[in-house]
Amino acid sequence: MSTDVTSSAGLQDLLSPRVVRSTVLPFIQQQVSELESTLSRVCRYHLGFIDEHGDPSSGGDGKLTRASLMMAVADGVGLRPEDVRSQAAAVELLHNATLLHDDIADSDELRRGRPAAWKVFGVSLAIHAGNALQALGLRLVVDDSGPGHNEIAGSFTEALGLVHAGQARELTIRPDSAGLAVYEHMVMEKASALLEWSLGTPAIRAGKPEKDLAALREAGRHLGIALQISNDVEDIWGDPAVTGKPIRGDITRRNLTFPVLAALSADNPPGDHLGRLWQADNTTAEHLQTLADLIDEAGGRKTAERLSRGHLDSAVENLGRAGLSPTATAELTTLFDRIVNRAV
Amino acid sequence: MSTDVTSSAGLQDLLSPRVVRSTVLPFIQQQVSELESTLSRVCRYHLGFIDEHGDPSSGGDGKLTRASLMMAVADGVGLRPEDVRSQAAAVELLHNATLLHDDIADSDELRRGRPAAWKVFGVSLAIHAGNALQALGLRLVVDDSGPGHNEIAGSFTEALGLVHAGQARELTIRPDSAGLAVYEHMVMEKASALLEWSLGTPAIRAGKPEKDLAALREAGRHLGIALQISNDVEDIWGDPAVTGKPIRGDITRRNLTFPVLAALSADNPPGDHLGRLWQADNTTAEHLQTLADLIDEAGGRKTAERLSRGHLDSAVENLGRAGLSPTATAELTTLFDRIVNRAV
C-alpha cells in the first residue's frame, strides 16, 4: 500500500523535475552526507545514491514527486527554486523516512527494485536512519526564516502527525461496511497530507490569497486519493518491473486496499466468494490469482479505476482555480496525470 | 544503555516534580488521548497511563526527569510553569519516542518493569507510535509562539538530530583504543542533547544573558555524561527491581558501555582476560558474572563511578554560575544528585 513511485523515467521531459534534479537533489545529497557516518550510509543507500557496498549508484532513487510538485507551484506563483529549496528537500526526506519505517513495519524486503534498507543494514539501523531523515527534514523547515515560515513549519508538523496517524489507521481497516470510510480517512492522512503541504507551501511563501491556497490543498487532497487507489490497483494488476516491488504484496498480506474493500462490499456472487476465501492462509501464486480474479469480477478493479480517475479530475479542476500561471497549471496537470497513471 | 529512569519515588518531596505532575502530566495525557485511537492506546501504554488491557494504570510511568529539570530552571528564572509547559511536555514525548524505538532496535523486552510496547502491540504499531510521539512533541514546540520560540524550536530539532546520531554511533563503538572517544561523542549526542535543551530552554524564554544559557547547557552536558555512565554501572551491578529492566542486558548483548571500555583499556591482567572472554557467545548468568567480576577487577567499575561523580560535580559547578535563584539552584542540585545516584 505504498504511495511511492519507482522509475525516474517519464518525468524528465518536464521542467520541474529537472529543476529538482539540479537544485534540490544536490542539496539533499549534501545534507545527508553530513549525518553521522553510519546513518549517512544507510540513508544514502535508501535514497539510491550508493549501492550496498558504498559505491555510487544511479539506480533506485525515487521520482522526487513531491519536490517536483512544489517546484512547479513555486514557478506558478513567481518564486525562484531557491525560495522553497529547503521545503522541497524536507518533504522528500520526510517521505523517505516513512518509507524506511514502513518497510520494516510491513516486512517489505524490496524497495525500488533493491533490497530494503533493513534487509541490508538490519532493523536497528534502519529505524534510526528513518528517524534521522525525519529529524533532518524537520530541521530544514524549522531553521528556515523566509516569509510565512511559522505557518509553513506548523503545517509541516501537522502533516507529519497525520501521516503517522494514517499509517496506524491502515492497520485498523476491517472487511466490513465501515471499512471504506476508515480507508478514506486513512488515505487523506497517509497519502494526501504531504501532497497538500507540497502544493500549498509555495503559495504561503508567496503570500497568495487564502482561496488560492485552499484550492491547492484541495488539489493535493484529491491527488493523494487518486494516487493511493491507483497504487492499490497496481499492486494487484501492475508490472513488478515498473513498481520495483514484488507483485501482489498487498493481497499476500491481506491488506484491505480499495479494490478489495470495493469488491467485498459489492453484494454480488464474486464478492461473496472473495469474502469466503479472503481469510484462508494461502499465499500461493495460484490462490492470489483467484483472489485477484474475484476482485476484478466483483467490480473492485473497475470501481477503483473509476474513483481514481474521478479524484484526478477533481485535483485538476481545483488546480485550475488556484490562480497559477497558465504554464505552471499545464505543467502540474501533466505531472498529476503521470504520477497517478504511470502504470495503470 | 538506556538513559531512562523507572520509579517515580524519590523525587516527590521536591517541588519541580510535583509541578510536573500537576501541570505537564495532565497536558501530556490530554494530547496523547487525541491521537488516532490505536496509536493513542500504544502510547498511553508505553507512558504508563494504561495497562495492556486498556485499564487505567498508575505504574510504569517514568520520573519525567527532563520536564522536572525544565520546571526547576523556569522557577529559577522567574517564569510560571505554563510558560514552558508545551516544551516540558515535548521533551518527555521525544524522550519516550526514542525509548519506544530503542526497545525495538535493541530487542529489549522489558521497560519500566512491564513488557515493552513492541512485545504487547507488535513492531509495526510500536514504530508508528514512536513516530507519532515524536511528531506530537515537535508540533507542540513548533506551534508555540512565546518569546524566543524560533531559537527554542531550532535547538529542539538540532537536539533531536543529535539523539538519533548518538543512537547510531552507539552501534559503531569498537573495543579498541578509539572506543572511549567514540563513546564520549555518543553520550554527548544521545544523553546530553535533550538535557542541555531542557535546562537551556527556560533561560531562552526568559531572555537571560548568553553566559547564563551557556552555563546551563554545560551543566546539561555534564549531567548527561554522569547519568549515562551511572546507568551503565547500574546495568551490571544494579538492582533489577529498581531499573525495571533485566539485569546485565548490556553485557548480555556485549554492548561496549563505559565500565567495559575502561576495563578493556586498563592494560592489566583482568582487563586482558576480559578481552579474551568478551567475544565468546555465552550468555549464561555464570559467564555474565565472570565478565562483571573481571570488569570490576580491572578497575572498570571504579573508573566509571569516579568519572560519573566528576561529571556530576562539574554539572553542579556550572549550575552555580547560571544566575538562577538560590532556591532553584538548591532544588536542581538535589535533582541532579537523585537523577544520577538513584541506585549506584
Side-chain angles (χ1 to χ4, degrees):
Chain A
M1 241 179 182
S2 154
T3 52
D4 189 45
V5 281
T6 307
S7 156
S8 57
L11 289 182
Q12 291 310 298
D13 57 321
L14 295 173
L15 178 65
S16 53
R18 288 206 305 275
V19 169
V20 169
R21 297 260 151 202
S22 64
T23 310
V24 182
L25 193 58
F27 181 65
I28 290 177
Q29 284 171 321
Q30 180 225 319
Q31 290 289 326
V32 171
S33 74
E34 290 171 12
L35 291 174
E36 186 281 328
S37 63
T38 316
L39 286 182
S40 176
R41 188 168 170 192
V42 182
C43 293
R44 283 180 295 144
Y45 172 80
H46 172 75
L47 292 165
F49 304 155
I50 56 173
D51 66 19
E52 52 214 285
H53 312 292
D55 296 322
S57 158
S58 60
D61 51 344
K63 265 183 184 173
L64 303 163
T65 308
R66 288 150 192 82
S68 298
L69 292 169
M70 196 178 279
M71 285 303 168
V73 178
D75 181 58
V77 296
L79 295 177
R80 296 164 308 171
E82 308 87 270
D83 295 329
V84 288
R85 188 185 66 167
S86 293
Q87 290 73 19
V91 75
E92 291 297 337
L93 293 170
L94 231 312
H95 175 61
N96 275 287
T98 66
L99 298 182
L100 256 166
H101 283 178
D102 270 358
D103 287 344
I104 305 169
D106 299 345
S107 301
D108 264 339
E109 303 192 355
L110 215 57
R111 165 69 60 191
R112 296 169 183 146
R114 309 190 310 164
W118 69 271
K119 286 298 287 180
V120 179
F121 301 97
V123 166
S124 183
L125 269 177
I127 288 178
H128 297 322
N131 285 331
L133 285 185
Q134 182 165 314
L136 178 55
L138 281 154
R139 187 142 66 84
L140 293 176
V141 169
V142 167
D143 282 355
D144 173 88
S145 56
H149 67 93
N150 280 334
E151 187 177 349
I152 291 170
S155 54
F156 192 54
T157 55
E158 192 185 332
L160 180 58
L162 289 175
V163 171
H164 298 317
Q167 288 173 316
R169 197 180 307 279
E170 190 169 7
L171 305 172
T172 69
I173 300 174
R174 302 278 167 263
D176 55 26
S177 56
L180 276 169
V182 180
Y183 176 93
E184 195 181 342
H185 195 167
M186 176 280 289
V187 174
M188 286 197 286
E189 295 166 327
K190 193 185 131 174
S192 295
L194 284 185
L195 293 171
E196 287 181 43
W197 189 82
S198 302
L199 292 170
T201 290
I204 298 175
R205 173 122 302 174
K208 289 287 159 189
E210 182 58 42
K211 69 169 186 43
D212 293 1
L213 180 57
L216 286 165
R217 286 183 174 148
E218 191 66 9
R221 190 173 74 79
H222 286 292
L223 180 64
I225 304 173
L227 175 58
Q228 182 65 60
I229 295 176
S230 166
N231 280 334
D232 288 353
V233 170
E234 195 175 59
D235 175 80
I236 307 177
W237 297 285
D239 176 0
V242 175
T243 64
K245 309 187 71 171
I247 194 170
R248 298 185 174 155
D250 281 338
I251 53 175
T252 301
R253 286 190 295 271
R254 304 295 194 272
N255 286 344
L256 290 161
T257 62
F258 185 83
V260 180
L261 288 166
L264 289 174
S265 63
D267 199 17
N268 58 27
D272 297 343
H273 191 183
L274 177 69
R276 289 191 298 275
L277 291 189
W278 184 251
Q279 296 303 342
D281 189 19
N282 185 339
T283 57
T284 59
E286 199 185 342
H287 189 71
L288 298 184
Q289 185 63 51
T290 304
L291 295 177
D293 290 344
L294 287 172
I295 297 166
D296 199 347
E297 287 161 31
R301 180 177 188 170
K302 197 180 288 177
T303 306
E305 289 176 350
R306 194 172 48 223
L307 195 66
S308 179
R309 260 196 312 276
H311 280 287
L312 176 58
D313 290 344
S314 301
V316 170
E317 203 181 298
N318 277 283
L319 188 61
R321 285 199 283 267
L324 303 179
S325 70
T327 325
T329 303
E331 165 108 357
L332 280 159
T333 302
T334 309
L335 268 176
F336 282 13
D337 182 67
R338 301 244 187 118
I339 290 168
V340 174
N341 292 317
R342 62 156 169 159
V344 292
Chain B
M1 239 180 182
S2 155
T3 52
D4 189 43
V5 281
T6 308
S7 154
S8 56
L11 287 182
Q12 290 311 298
D13 56 322
L14 295 172
L15 179 65
S16 52
R18 287 205 306 274
V19 169
V20 170
R21 297 259 153 204
S22 65
T23 309
V24 182
L25 194 58
F27 181 66
I28 292 177
Q29 285 171 320
Q30 180 224 319
Q31 291 288 326
V32 171
S33 73
E34 290 171 12
L35 292 173
E36 185 279 328
S37 63
T38 316
L39 287 182
S40 176
R41 187 168 170 191
V42 182
C43 293
R44 283 180 294 144
Y45 172 80
H46 172 74
L47 293 164
F49 304 154
I50 56 171
D51 66 19
E52 52 214 284
H53 311 294
D55 296 322
S57 158
S58 60
D61 50 345
K63 265 184 183 173
L64 303 163
T65 309
R66 288 150 192 82
S68 299
L69 292 169
M70 196 177 279
M71 284 303 166
V73 178
D75 181 56
V77 296
L79 294 177
R80 296 163 306 171
E82 308 87 89
D83 295 330
V84 289
R85 188 185 65 166
S86 292
Q87 291 74 19
V91 74
E92 291 297 337
L93 292 169
L94 231 312
H95 176 61
N96 275 287
T98 67
L99 298 182
L100 254 167
H101 283 177
D102 271 359
D103 287 344
I104 304 169
D106 299 344
S107 301
D108 265 338
E109 302 192 353
L110 215 57
R111 166 68 60 192
R112 297 170 183 145
R114 310 189 310 164
W118 67 273
K119 287 296 289 182
V120 180
F121 300 99
V123 165
S124 183
L125 268 177
I127 288 178
H128 297 323
N131 284 332
L133 284 185
Q134 181 166 312
L136 178 56
L138 282 153
R139 187 143 64 87
L140 292 177
V141 169
V142 167
D143 282 354
D144 173 89
S145 56
H149 67 94
N150 280 333
E151 189 178 349
I152 290 170
S155 54
F156 192 57
T157 55
E158 194 185 333
L160 179 59
L162 290 175
V163 170
H164 298 317
Q167 288 173 316
R169 198 180 305 282
E170 190 169 10
L171 304 173
T172 69
I173 300 174
R174 301 279 167 262
D176 55 24
S177 56
L180 277 170
V182 181
Y183 177 93
E184 196 181 339
H185 196 165
M186 175 279 290
V187 173
M188 285 196 289
E189 296 166 327
K190 193 186 130 171
S192 295
L194 284 184
L195 293 171
E196 288 182 43
W197 189 81
S198 301
L199 292 171
T201 290
I204 297 174
R205 174 121 303 174
K208 289 287 160 189
E210 182 56 43
K211 69 169 185 41
D212 293 0
L213 179 58
L216 285 166
R217 284 185 175 147
E218 192 65 8
R221 191 174 73 80
H222 287 291
L223 180 65
I225 305 173
L227 174 59
Q228 182 66 58
I229 295 177
S230 167
N231 279 336
D232 289 354
V233 170
E234 195 175 60
D235 176 80
I236 307 177
W237 297 286
D239 176 0
V242 176
T243 65
K245 307 187 70 169
I247 194 168
R248 297 187 173 152
D250 282 338
I251 52 174
T252 301
R253 286 190 296 268
R254 300 297 192 273
N255 287 345
L256 290 161
T257 62
F258 186 84
V260 181
L261 288 165
L264 290 173
S265 64
D267 201 15
N268 60 24
D272 296 344
H273 191 182
L274 177 69
R276 290 192 296 277
L277 292 190
W278 184 252
Q279 297 303 342
D281 189 20
N282 184 338
T283 56
T284 60
E286 199 185 345
H287 189 71
L288 298 184
Q289 184 62 50
T290 304
L291 295 177
D293 289 345
L294 287 171
I295 297 166
D296 199 347
E297 287 161 30
R301 180 177 188 170
K302 199 180 288 176
T303 306
E305 288 176 350
R306 194 171 50 225
L307 195 68
S308 179
R309 263 197 309 278
H311 280 288
L312 177 57
D313 290 346
S314 301
V316 171
E317 202 180 299
N318 277 284
L319 188 62
R321 286 199 283 268
L324 303 180
S325 70
T327 326
T329 304
E331 165 108 358
L332 280 159
T333 303
T334 309
L335 268 176
F336 281 15
D337 182 67
R338 301 241 188 122
I339 290 168
V340 174
N341 292 316
R342 62 155 170 162
V344 293

